[in-house]
Amino acid sequence: MRKTLINREWSLLAFHRRVLEEGYDKSNPLMERCKFLAISCSNVDEFFMVRAASVVDQILADYHKEDHSGSTPQETLRGIEQIGQQIAADQYKLYEHLRTKLRASGLHLKKAHRLSLPEKQFLKSYFTEHIFPVLTPMVVDQSRPFPVIQNKSLNLGLRVKDPEDGEIVFATVAVPEVLSRLVELPSHGQGREFVLLEDVMKMHMDVLFSGYDITEIKAYRITRNADLDIDEDGAEDLLKEIEQSLKMRRWGNVIRLEVEADTSKEMIRMITQDGEDDPDAGINYVDGPLDLTFMNKITQLTGYDHLHDAPFQPTMPHDREVDLLDWIREQDRLLHHPFDSFGVVVNLIRRAAKDPDVLAIKQTLYRVSGNSPIIQALIEAAENKKQVTVLVEIKARFDEENNIHWAKRLEQAGCHVIYGLVGLKTHLKMLLIVRREEQGIRRYVHLGTGNYNDVTANFYTDMGLLTVNAQIGSDASTIFNMLSGYSVPSSLNKCTIAPLFLRKRLEQLIEYEIDSVKKGGTGRILLKMNALVDVKLIHLLYKASKAGVRIDLIVRGVCCLRPGVKGLSENITVKSIVGRFLEHTRIFYFQHGGKELTFLSSADWMPRNLDRRVEAMFPIEVPELKQRIRDILSLYMKDNVKSRYLQPDGSYVKPKTKPQLRIHAQQLLIKEASRSHMQPVTLQLQPRQTPDRVMALKVSAYDH
């Protein structure tokens, strides 16, 4: 195969298709299927706002160079448009299917032409009282220019005819985001019925344009470039610079235009005129309601618990009768969320905030919840006169506004707030608690693979290490000094950080496996991550495969490596797992001549993580914890329900499995946690299945 790498953008779209497939999976409860449809739509929106936008920027800059997959920006964009249209068609096919299933369950999403006379009368009154006062019609004519349409907003476009002179002008009305997209009709004791807000508006637009003839009303939606471009070196106040850029995000260049399927060419011409005529902005004709993320609102309706996954209560691994700090001092503790409750971490910070012997708390925050108990605990700690230092990453994409808010709150409470290093995002997950004890100063450290977010910790799989290991504690202090000052460590004891050492360390670990095989031994690499994009490391894995190293990769999202190519990667398998929980853990296992090194990390294998972010990789050295991680990896490798195997052409296939041999990793971990956190998963690492034994049913493929 001439092209040794898979196109990054097409690979990411393949992941979004995998999410959509969960909506098609009839083994998932109905509301969960609706949720996956909404997530898929939100994911694709973000893809166009960021990834497709960057490709369009290259084209506008007249850039024609091929990327590492051998594709020019123009070829990449054509592929994006083709795959995007395929995904959109599948989304709306699924939507109609789910509408039918919802109706059978007592939830009816009605169309306007299906309404009875009493229902129409109710909606007329509802429009007059609740909708009409909020609306602002905007007409485009010689004296009124085309308004700037906000990113991702839903709008109604109208062609309005003046009965006196016959002139047709364009008008637009925003569908108000402050109102519920679902308008509920009066109940008749047979379930619940809803009409979409934009349909109610369409029925009554004559009220806004009385005296004029409305010849056409169609919904449309614009997606804009939302990637922030900030000159950190030239920004005297980074906080103000980002706040200003956030405002501009709503008005970036148009990347995509969505319209109803039967929208006239004349309406399209009117919508795309006057500054909205970017020739590279794709037009998507949609056979159904625009912006299906409203399906999330359906899943939040009460009274339908039987249509959701069975509730799962994370296990609290810490015995409440034992002091939390005593529990950590006893031995290193491994947390596997959401099966182990994230409440342990929250309680640790709360405990430290009140403890008179705690002198300092230092923490990195990348993404936190909207009402974060961790923030509240840090504020309390500062009020209790402890030295509290918090690195808040205000460049965390799409969380900038939330993080700016918390940064200001922390500063007002007396915390020392820092924003990281110029040109780098701080993505590592680290908590350091410095405590005065009888034996002297002791450092309690938490290192994790996921964010300090008490909400997402309930549905992201992540791991964290709690330790009082003196060398890791020393590393934590050194790293925080680097983040808050000018010191650059020449080395660390246990941890490895990017961008200083992580890439080189990973290269050394892979090369060791290669050398082991060359010396007559065996080599084994097992990696779990969210994305594999870095070209240098991919080619090093190819080198290891050709040398005879056995490599299994669990890559949830983007993967540019082509597995199973003869003479290149025939010793590599890649699987993606998408299920009830978002797989987010980064685990790196190397056989290392029998020493079996196991690491956890905040970093995926991408250039941005290794070269442009502050990340951490840390070892798991306690034998019991290493075994637990190996058992979990083994279970994920055995999963044949939610796994899909990546093919050399970039497509994914589902393993053919007999019903009695189905292994669903996440369900087994839920059952294990429900029984007892004291009983770890006991499945052992087994010889892997080769691609020809596990590949069966094609799920998706590209014609590129």
Side-chain angles (χ1 to χ4, degrees), residues 548-672:
V549 178
R550 293 174 49 200
I551 304 170
D552 286 307
L553 308 176
I554 305 171
V555 185
R556 186 200 74 217
V558 181
C559 182
C560 296
L561 180 147
R562 293 188 187 274
V565 177
K566 189 173 182 180
L568 178 70
S569 57
E570 54 196 315
N571 287 313
I572 304 177
T573 64
V574 181
K575 67 154 55 177
S576 170
I577 298 177
V578 177
R580 174 176 179 175
F581 304 126
L582 180 75
E583 290 297 334
H584 196 251
T585 318
R586 290 96 167 186
I587 308 172
F588 310 147
Y589 167 89
F590 301 89
Q591 185 173 291
H592 206 74
K595 293 182 180 179
E596 295 192 305
L597 302 181
T598 303
F599 302 91
L600 300 180
S601 180
S602 60
D604 290 310
W605 287 19
M606 305 175 72
R608 72 180 189 190
N609 297 87
L610 301 175
D611 303 327
R612 301 191 299 276
R613 287 186 174 184
V614 181
E615 304 274 13
M617 181 177 77
F618 50 98
I620 302 299
E621 297 181 325
V622 175
E624 175 189 342
L625 304 187
K626 289 175 67 175
Q627 183 61 50
R628 184 182 175 194
I629 291 176
R630 287 198 296 270
D631 290 342
I632 291 170
L633 283 174
S634 172
L635 182 56
Y636 278 120
M637 285 306 301
K638 287 173 173 290
D639 182 286
N640 53 25
V641 175
K642 295 300 182 181
S643 295
R644 302 293 184 272
Y645 281 85
L646 180 61
Q647 300 295 281
D649 65 352
S651 63
Y652 284 85
V653 300
K654 184 178 181 178
K656 184 183 292 184
T657 309
K658 295 180 180 179
Q660 65 271 25
L661 298 178
R662 287 164 56 91
I663 297 177
H664 189 330
Q666 290 188 1
Q667 277 191 357
L668 289 174
L669 287 166
I670 288 174
K671 289 179 181 178
E672 195 69 36

Side-chain angles (χ1 to χ4, degrees), residues 447-566:
L447 286 159
T449 67
N451 298 308
Y452 289 106
N453 188 313
D454 58 295
V455 174
T456 58
N458 290 311
F459 50 89
Y460 282 25
T461 70
D462 273 304
M463 286 186 177
L465 175 69
L466 290 167
T467 183
V468 291
N469 181 288
Q471 290 183 304
I472 291 180
S474 175
D475 286 348
S477 291
T478 300
I479 292 169
F480 275 111
N481 289 340
M482 177 191 77
L483 295 174
S484 62
Y486 286 107
S487 62
V488 178
S490 57
S491 64
L492 293 168
N493 300 304
K494 297 286 187 180
C495 298
T496 308
I497 59 171
L500 299 179
F501 315 120
L502 183 53
R503 176 183 290 280
K504 184 176 181 180
R505 178 61 171 148
L506 292 172
E507 291 173 349
Q508 291 172 342
L509 289 166
I510 299 172
E511 290 284 6
Y512 191 99
E513 300 300 316
I514 296 171
D515 291 341
S516 180
V517 173
K518 288 181 178 179
K519 293 176 181 177
T522 59
R524 181 80 169 94
I525 298 173
L526 180 52
L527 309 173
K528 183 176 184 295
M529 64 188 79
N530 304 321
L532 175 56
V533 174
D534 191 82
V535 175
K536 293 180 181 178
L537 290 179
I538 289 175
H539 281 291
L540 196 53
L541 290 173
Y542 286 156
K543 178 182 176 182
S545 172
K546 288 188 282 188
V549 178
R550 293 174 49 200
I551 304 170
D552 286 307
L553 308 176
I554 305 171
V555 185
R556 186 200 74 217
V558 181
C559 182
C560 296
L561 180 147
R562 293 188 187 274
V565 177
K566 189 173 182 180

Side-chain angles (χ1 to χ4, degrees), residues 652-695:
Y652 284 85
V653 300
K654 184 178 181 178
K656 184 183 292 184
T657 309
K658 295 180 180 179
Q660 65 271 25
L661 298 178
R662 287 164 56 91
I663 297 177
H664 189 330
Q666 290 188 1
Q667 277 191 357
L668 289 174
L669 287 166
I670 288 174
K671 289 179 181 178
E672 195 69 36
S674 300
R675 284 198 294 267
S676 171
H677 70 272
M678 299 301 292
Q679 300 294 325
V681 179
T682 55
L683 289 172
Q684 301 296 312
L685 282 170
Q686 300 292 330
R688 64 176 182 171
Q689 293 176 295
T690 54
D692 59 336
R693 289 207 298 269
V694 300
M695 308 309 178

Side-chain angles (χ1 to χ4, degrees), residues 126-146:
Y126 183 89
F127 175 84
T128 302
E129 294 179 14
H130 300 283
I131 302 176
F132 177 74
V134 185
L135 302 181
T136 303
M138 292 182 284
V139 175
V140 178
D141 57 24
Q142 292 180 348
S143 62
R144 289 169 287 194
F146 197 102

Side-chain angles (χ1 to χ4, degrees), residues 63-64 95 115 120 125 162 195 252 304 322 370 398 416 418 480 494 531 556 584 642 699:
Y63 185 80
H64 301 284
Y95 169 72
L115 296 172
K120 290 179 180 178
S125 175
D162 188 330
V195 182
Y304 298 93
V322 178
F398 299 122
H416 301 294
I418 52 180
F480 275 111
K494 297 286 187 180
R556 186 200 74 217
H584 196 251
K642 295 300 182 181
V699 174

